[in-house]
Amino acid sequence: MNRWLTRRWPAPHWPSIRGRGRTDAGPLLLTAAVIAAVALLAGAVPVLLRAAADDAVQDTVRRAGHDANVLAHANWERDDGPTGGRVRMPRLAEDVDDFRARATYALGPDLDAALLPPVAAVNGPILSITDGNVPRTLQFTYLAGDHDGPDVTWIAGNPPGAAVSDQYLETPYDGPPWPVQVGLSEADATALNLGPGDRIPVSDGKGRDKDVRISGIYRPTDSADPAWRLAPALLRPVPGADGAGTTRFAGLLSRDSLPDARLAVDEDQLRRTVHFAPEPDALTWDATAALVSQVVRLKAASGSSSDLDQTVKWESQLDTVLRDARTRNSAATAQAAVLLAGVLTATVLVLLLAADLLVRRRAPVLSAARQRGTALPDLGTELIIESTVVSLSAAAVGLALARAAAPGVSWTWAVPVVVAGAVAGPAFGTLTAARASRDRRQPANRAARRWIRATAQLRRAAVEAAVLVAAVAAFVTLHQRGLLPVASDGDTGELTGDLILPISALAVGALVGALVLLRLLPLGARFALRQALRSRRPLAVFSAAQAATTAGRALPLLVLVSTTALASFALILGATVTRGLADGAWSTVGADARLDVGADAEAATPALAERIAAAPGVGQVVVAQVTDPARVFSDSTLLTPRLVVVDTAAFQRLLATTPLPDAPALARLTAPGPGPGDVPALVRSSDGDLRTGTRLQLPRDGAPAIHLAAVGTAPSVDGANDVVIVDAAALADAGLPAVPNTVWVTGPGAARAVANTGVAADVVLRADDLRAQRVAPLTAGLLRLAWTAAAVLLALGLLGLALAAAAGASERWQTLTRLRTLGLRPRDVRWVAAGELLPPVVVAAVCGPLLGALLARLTLGPLDLRLLTGQGADPAAVLPWWLLGLVSVALLATAATVVPVESALRRRDRLSEVLRAGE
């Protein structure tokens, strides 16, 4: 009871706190600088990644195009008349407006705010143009937004009008074709050679003729109006829209001609759809989860496609697009967290080393204070006050700088650094003061001394085993679970507890490697000492003896090896992503340049290819017919892969002379098919619908379908994962000649050769695609973080080397100065000092990059870098040996400068003072 009554709160001695702070201002400022710098990095990176995530979501939605639209479908009210015919409904356009308003209301306020104003589209069936020998199709379309459809200028004729003047009219089901007026664009009218007043000879899928009349020719006021994207054939002919070798034309309907369009086709053939395009600038990372859930809710409440009533049926891939964006953002966040965890681990080790140096400098003062009767709680409180003030002040400065450099600040990642800076110094200082007043004596019994050593070894082995177990668990979790959140829809962008272990795999792996080298270094030092004792070189003996004495110091080697390995990993990560982006650009474009020729110029593609091949600096030119999407059937199931019809030999040469992966299976395309009449094909599918051995049918307009037999796996073509490749000659023999519309060009002069072709074609350059990928928000952010982390880790390693040298400088130069009394020259003393310092540095310079390469091999796969590089598979690890060599050279060069600097600083030490030290 009296013991509890005599307890008191610690009473710090404030003059001692101020005095120690002034005396050791240099080490304290160094600690503060490290904490501030790392707090700046840790506070700014998460916020910058969040801003990059917002930009990435917007960029993903822009790239998705129509796939990100939200579509609302609904059937029409039946037009059955009282006498058994069909009734003309003059207010059909008003019904479309009402449907558009009803669909907008069903979205909800959050989803509506993220979408552009809706556009209603009414599309008729695909009709075949019956004149000519080239397969051509026609579809009439009505577009209406909040302010009617897109503006046009009628350069000939008039807008489409009503076919009859009566408001109410009933026509029999088996009556003659009902006339409907449409407008044609300039390009369509020129290609069809038709004008106002002409009829377009068309028939439906059952061979029934339709009465479609041209009322006028129009020119769009703004061809970039988003409404035109819903029906690009309203601007110009679209090749391949209805199958290989076909060209689609479109006729524009008006509010007056829309009722006639319904009577011109079967009752269920005119379909109305409201298109909601997303507003990319209104999308953020935080809003994507709610938007995904709302789109899923709409689709779940959607009516069935078999419902014949006017129930709204929702269709959208926006939820999938946003999920993909969230997956990439989650992957980038986890990858950044892995790098940050490595930086924080290295920082904590450096702070421990700085605290060790500070305590070594204060050891006499702390021991004297303890011997004078200062209580350990009081002394510990004084040290905690000092370190806490320094750590919190430095962290506040770093976070303030982060707030100035970024749109916000995150303090979570700075906590470990602040805790390490606040706790390490007081813990080491209190232990040093406690040892100074400890009355524990060294036992004279040899067995007791062995017991003490065995106990210390067991404690060390237990710590090492715990680190090893943690590393094994981290790597197993990383490979089994990965770094992506389990449920991406509920991912908030913050790291959860289940991700801490796999994220720390890199840092813990570096610690395990450093601990292994810490076990091996004393053995190597003792072996070197035994060899030196057999030689006749006293400098070698002295150097080996000094190295063997200091080889067991844990913190210096842990700092050097860990920082070097982690810096090497960051460099490897940056080099791997850079190479992956380059390979991804090759995969996306397919060559140095690609020409996607327009429908009007397809006939000139062979001559265009010959002209490009003759240009200077052009290596290869390969032409192909690429239809995306193509209509291919497999067991009555419609598939829409990318169909590539190409000269197999030329395509093989293209793959062999570029970084694109080879495709040995292409040789099978020129062999006979497995069955009579079968055309060999290579297939590739992301969902497994297309496999080797699959039988496919390629439909033709007005002719039997061509049978394809999948004989192998196709390479990815221009980044597509659903591909069917056939040989041009084999397909021509089957009755479908290829019409090339794609030109792949390689060589240093490819960009100049395709720049001014004089042909209507889209030019895609590999250099432009690579540049766009490199500046993509997430990719650019990760690359900047990788290079920054490598620089910070290297700086921490060099600082750790300087701290380690300073921590042992006093004892080292006392010993070396005494050796001078035996006749060593100053130059020899410097060689002995270098022999003591170099072993851990050499081990770190040699083994650190190798350990970083090993860690990269173990962790790069689960990091899912393919999500950022745009490749189909994870990129192979790239080892930038010249950068890794620079890391090693930087360590060795710094170590080489430490000895001359120490020698210059110790030159004024008096020999008499050194000889009396310790008395």
Side-chain angles (χ1 to χ4, degrees), residues 709-758:
V711 296
T713 302
S716 176
V717 178
D718 299 343
N721 290 321
D722 297 327
V723 179
V724 175
I725 302 178
V726 295
D727 182 66
L731 193 63
D733 293 341
L736 184 59
V739 181
N741 58 3
T742 300
V743 183
W744 289 299
V745 187
T746 64
R752 291 193 304 272
V754 301
N756 297 311
T757 59

Side-chain angles (χ1 to χ4, degrees), residues 124-132 134-140 192 199-212 242 246-249 265 269 631 700-703:
I126 304 299
L127 306 175
S128 299
I129 299 178
T130 55
D131 68 338
V134 178
R136 296 177 296 179
T137 60
L138 175 72
Q139 183 182 39
F140 40 77
L192 293 174
R199 293 188 178 185
I200 305 177
V202 293
S203 63
D204 62 9
K206 298 180 180 179
R208 297 174 298 184
D209 293 335
K210 300 297 179 181
D211 187 359
V212 180
D242 301 305
T246 64
T247 302
R248 178 187 291 183
F249 298 83
V265 297
Q269 286 185 324
R631 298 170 64 249
R700 290 185 294 171
D701 194 21

Side-chain angles (χ1 to χ4, degrees), residues 31 35-36 38-39 344 347-348 351 387-396 399 411-424:
T31 301
I35 295 176
V38 177
L344 295 185
T347 304
V348 169
L351 291 177
S387 62
T388 302
V389 170
V390 171
S391 300
L392 290 179
S393 301
L399 294 178
W411 56 269
T412 306
W413 285 94
V415 171
V417 178
V418 175
V419 172
V423 173

Side-chain angles (χ1 to χ4, degrees), residues 130-158:
T130 55
D131 68 338
N133 54 7
V134 178
R136 296 177 296 179
T137 60
L138 175 72
Q139 183 182 39
F140 40 77
T141 300
Y142 170 73
L143 299 176
D146 290 339
H147 304 286
D148 294 331
D151 295 332
V152 297
T153 300
W154 296 95
I155 60 176
N158 300 303

Side-chain angles (χ1 to χ4, degrees), residues 438-452:
R438 186 174 55 184
D439 58 356
R440 186 176 179 180
R441 299 181 179 180
Q442 184 73 11
N445 188 352
R446 183 177 300 174
R449 292 197 299 269
R450 285 199 301 268
W451 176 262
I452 293 175

